[in-house]
Amino acid sequence: DADHADTVRLLEDVDYDMAFLFAYSSRDRTPAARRLVDDVPEAVKKKRLAALIDAFRAGRARRAAARVGATELILVEGAPPRR
C-alpha cells in the first residue's frame, strides 16, 4: 500500500505528459516470475490501476485547462497520410 501511494504521489508530482499504465501480471522467464509470488488480489490491482489512471488524467486536465485561451505556434509539414 505504501509503494502504491508513493507511485500515485510520483504521478502527481512529476506531471507526466504520457503514461503507459497497466496492472501487474507475472511474465514467464523473468526474474520477478522466478523470485516473487503474485499475492495481490485482482480486485486490488484493478483499484490501484484506477487510482493511477485518475491521478494521471487529473494532471493532464490541469495542464489542458492552463492552456485554454493560449495562442500556440505550430508547424504543419503536410497532409496526414490517408488510411
Side-chain angles (χ1 to χ4, degrees):
D1 288 333
D3 287 342
H4 172 69
D6 288 345
T7 303
V8 172
R9 275 193 298 279
L10 177 72
L11 277 174
E12 293 167 346
D13 292 347
V14 174
D15 220 14
Y16 290 103
D17 288 328
M18 176 67 72
F20 296 96
L21 303 168
F22 51 89
Y24 172 80
S25 62
S26 183
R27 301 285 186 244
D28 291 338
R29 299 184 336 205
T30 64
R34 289 190 297 273
R35 297 181 196 148
L36 302 175
V37 175
D38 184 6
D39 58 352
V40 178
E42 196 64 32
V44 172
K45 290 180 188 181
K46 288 181 181 181
K47 182 179 176 184
R48 289 177 178 175
L49 176 59
L52 293 173
I53 292 170
D54 289 346
F56 172 74
R57 287 180 176 167
R60 185 177 62 186
R62 279 191 306 275
R63 284 190 310 280
R67 310 252 9 121
V68 171
T71 301
E72 300 290 338
L73 179 64
I74 64 167
L75 171 65
V76 177
E77 295 181 332
R82 301 223 181 250
R83 292 183 184 206

